[in-house]
Amino acid sequence: MRLSRYFIPVTKDVSSDEKMIASHKLMMQTGMMRQNAAGIYSWLPLGFKVLKKIEQIVREEMDRAGAIEMLMPTLQSADLWRESGRYDAYGPEMLRITDRHDRGLLYGPTNEEMITDIFRTYVKSYKQLPLNLYHQQWKFRDEVRPRFGVMRGREFYMKDAYSFDLDEASARVSYQKMFAAYLNTFNRLGVTAIPMQADPGPIGGDLSHEFLVLADSGESEVYCDKAVLDVPPPGEGFDFEDHDALIEEMEKRTKFYAATDEKHDEAAYAAIPADRQVKARGIEVGHIFYFGTKYSDPMKAEVQTKEGELTAIHGGSYGIGVSRLVGAIIEASHDENGIIWPDEVAPFGAGIISMKPDAEDCAAVADDVYAKLTAAGKDPLYDETSDRAGPKFGRMELIGLPWQVTVGPRGVKNGVVELKRRATGEKEDVSVEAAIARITES
Ligand code: 5CA
């Protein structure tokens, strides 16, 4: 993409609000998003690209774990929520809407009721189980205090998956699959997210884990054993059908103490060797629940067993804050000059700075780098504007693409370009071919 033809409204001055956390400020400065109302944002091209990359990784890992993608609407019927008893219980966070026929609607804060209704309509036999359906869709929660940009929005993008099983034992296997899939997902996104015992809150149930990315700006206070940070994720070859492997995976991690303040047990924490005690703040990027028959009982989501009896299914739900992750990744990966995008979610694979776009020889080399990186599928951002060097470097640093290739007159004379790795700041003068090779290998 040529920067002169793209739309990145970079602004240095965003707000003097001291409480603005780094990710919020950086997202505003880089023109990734625009606030339209409290907690409601437009995703401008750069931000939208990142959101879509995260969505795609989440999708791939859900699919790999056997979940099936679909799409439910943002608006839901109030009657469905009356069936489960949550219409009144949900409180003022729910945005209630009345249509022209005076029918009650709501902007969905989550989809347990709707998916249970779909399930009960079509699934009648144990033979069709287990089933895990998911979608990625906008949600609305009328938060009292929307803040920190996309971290606590009112409208936000969520991946929510819903599992249906014949009994509790099988539902726990479904839960373990999602647990393992989440570890792989967050690992691919370049963040360390720690599973912690959590309070199920309004979703309900008795088994629940939150996944938290440690960051000073996080809203939750967390306590954990440092050892939990060192357990590697299950990885690419992991077999989701191998139940023993699933159990082992979950045990490997849950045997170490890790809890949010709501579930914190001071005595258990004190028993951890002092040099391994971690008290920190965290951002909740995922939350999984096993809630048994909480929705299937009142909504009559029943299937026939082998013996021909009707039984309420056992359910779980599994959320990932996709839009929140954009902020969480930046919170975990930035410096005083700007964002440092992990390779997998970077909006562009590399940035090219043409220092003298008016000089024919310089422009030719920069065009060549642009063509080659594009052909290699690296989707580069090409700054061929006539802005001065300082602002060009500053802007590229701020946007924080994993690689920067600077094409300047002196280098061109010597047959080299400058290759810089954003994360480490390492710079090297190399040939165009070597630069392309390094970037495509990463
Ligand atoms: N039905 C369940 C699982 S699908 C559910 O709604 N869980 S949740 O309430 O924990 O939300 C799932 C994830 O959405 C959270 O872990 C968090 O990452 C994200 N999330 C929740 N509220 C907000 C918000 N106001 N702004 C941004 N992300 C949010």
Side-chain angles (χ1 to χ4, degrees):
M1 178 58 68
R2 288 173 183 272
L3 185 62
S4 65
R5 298 196 198 144
Y6 198 49
F7 183 65
I8 307 184
V10 172
T11 39
K12 264 279 162 197
D13 309 309
V14 284
S15 152
S16 53
D17 186 351
E18 279 167 27
K19 285 197 296 265
M20 204 178 214
I21 60 171
S23 58
H24 188 186
K25 198 165 168 188
L26 286 165
M27 287 182 76
M28 299 302 287
Q29 287 181 328
T30 53
M32 289 176 69
M33 62 169 188
R34 158 89 181 148
Q35 182 176 311
N36 301 111
I40 300 177
Y41 296 90
S42 290
W43 290 77
L44 303 185
L46 192 70
F48 187 60
K49 254 177 168 261
V50 177
L51 188 70
K52 288 284 142 182
K53 291 218 162 169
I54 297 173
E55 177 193 57
Q56 182 56 24
I57 290 172
V58 169
R59 171 178 296 124
E60 286 169 16
E61 294 303 321
M62 278 296 112
D63 293 350
R64 207 153 72 82
I68 306 166
E69 191 172 22
M70 59 178 293
L71 184 62
M72 289 175 269
T74 53
L75 294 186
Q76 306 187 22
S77 139
D79 284 342
L80 260 185
W81 284 66
R82 290 199 180 93
E83 273 193 61
S84 73
R86 278 209 296 182
Y87 188 68
D88 295 323
Y90 218 93
E93 267 193 21
M94 182 187 278
L95 180 63
R96 294 152 212 258
I97 302 162
T98 309
D99 73 8
R100 67 201 296 168
H101 303 294
D102 236 11
R103 278 190 288 253
L105 295 173
L106 56 99
Y107 192 135
T110 176
N111 285 63
E112 279 82 3
E113 284 77 0
M114 187 175 275
I115 197 76
T116 303
D117 179 53
I118 292 170
F119 178 91
R120 71 180 172 187
T121 308
Y122 301 108
V123 183
K124 305 287 181 195
S125 159
Y126 74 95
K127 289 182 192 155
Q128 291 159 280
L129 301 182
L131 183 65
N132 186 328
L133 297 168
Y134 79 97
H135 74 162
Q136 303 199 49
Q137 178 62 290
W138 294 97
K139 304 287 187 291
F140 195 94
R141 294 181 187 174
D142 204 353
E143 304 272 352
V144 195
R145 263 196 307 157
R147 56 187 180 152
F148 305 147
V150 299
M151 297 273 216
R152 183 162 296 280
R154 291 199 293 167
E155 190 180 45
F156 60 97
Y157 201 54
M158 192 206 282
K159 183 285 298 179
D160 35 329
Y162 302 89
S163 66
F164 300 90
D165 282 273
L166 189 61
D167 53 32
E168 176 171 346
S170 148
R172 285 184 185 267
V173 173
S174 295
Y175 185 92
Q176 285 155 353
K177 282 187 188 176
M178 289 294 105
F179 188 98
Y182 273 38
L183 295 171
N184 282 339
T185 305
F186 296 125
N187 184 51
R188 275 187 66 190
L189 292 171
V191 292
T192 307
I194 309 165
M196 304 203 175
Q197 298 168 38
D199 192 344
I203 309 294
D206 67 355
L207 174 62
S208 175
H209 286 93
E210 277 179 19
F211 289 74
L212 290 111
V213 172
L214 298 188
D216 293 339
S217 58
E219 287 190 278
S220 324
E221 191 156 57
V222 303
Y223 301 81
C224 72
D225 182 334
K226 200 162 166 284
V228 80
L229 297 168
D230 302 327
V231 190
E236 247 178 61
F238 189 73
D239 181 0
F240 283 92
E241 295 312 316
D242 181 343
H243 293 182
D244 291 338
L246 282 168
I247 292 167
E248 192 191 324
E249 193 51 54
M250 204 163 124
E251 278 176 356
K252 250 199 286 190
R253 242 156 269 270
T254 47
K255 73 177 181 203
F256 298 114
Y257 184 79
T260 61
D261 48 3
E262 294 153 352
K263 281 262 171 177
H264 182 51
D265 173 351
E266 195 56 45
Y269 181 67
I272 305 169
D275 61 337
R276 285 189 1 216
Q277 289 176 354
V278 178
K279 176 172 182 251
R281 303 200 69 83
I283 303 164
E284 182 204 318
V285 289
H287 200 159
I288 60 179
F289 307 81
Y290 163 65
F291 44 67
T293 57
K294 174 173 167 156
Y295 299 93
S296 58
D297 273 337
M299 295 184 70
K300 297 248 166 310
E302 298 172 331
V303 295
Q304 209 154 46
T305 65
K306 217 177 200 160
E307 291 74 35
E309 284 157 17
L310 278 182
T311 183
I313 62 89
H314 285 247
S317 70
Y318 314 90
I320 289 184
V322 179
S323 52
R324 174 179 286 184
L325 267 163
V326 180
I329 292 169
I330 298 173
E331 241 7 91
S333 186
H334 69 273
D335 63 14
E336 64 284 1
N337 297 326
I339 303 170
I340 304 171
W341 286 114
D343 292 282
E344 284 251 34
V345 297
F348 293 95
I352 305 162
I353 300 177
S354 179
M355 298 295 290
K356 271 222 176 295
D358 300 337
E360 228 172 82
D361 52 347
C362 253
V365 174
D367 281 352
D368 185 40
V369 173
Y370 179 52
K372 286 183 170 142
L373 282 177
T374 304
K378 281 285 151 181
D379 190 19
L381 180 65
Y382 182 18
D383 183 350
E384 23 65 293
T385 65
S386 50
D387 296 342
R388 283 178 303 112
K392 282 178 114 151
F393 282 123
R395 179 169 54 208
M396 204 54 99
E397 241 358 57
L398 187 69
I399 294 171
L401 305 176
W403 296 97
Q404 290 167 19
V405 183
T406 303
V407 183
R410 208 174 318 140
V412 166
K413 273 202 190 77
N414 298 327
V416 293
V417 295
E418 185 194 85
L419 179 66
K420 179 177 168 182
R421 184 75 169 149
R422 176 69 178 89
T424 59
E426 274 170 75
K427 289 181 192 170
E428 237 187 305
D429 282 344
V430 294
S431 68
V432 168
E433 277 61 39
I436 309 291
R438 285 285 300 283
I439 295 171
T440 45
E441 277 160 19
S442 72

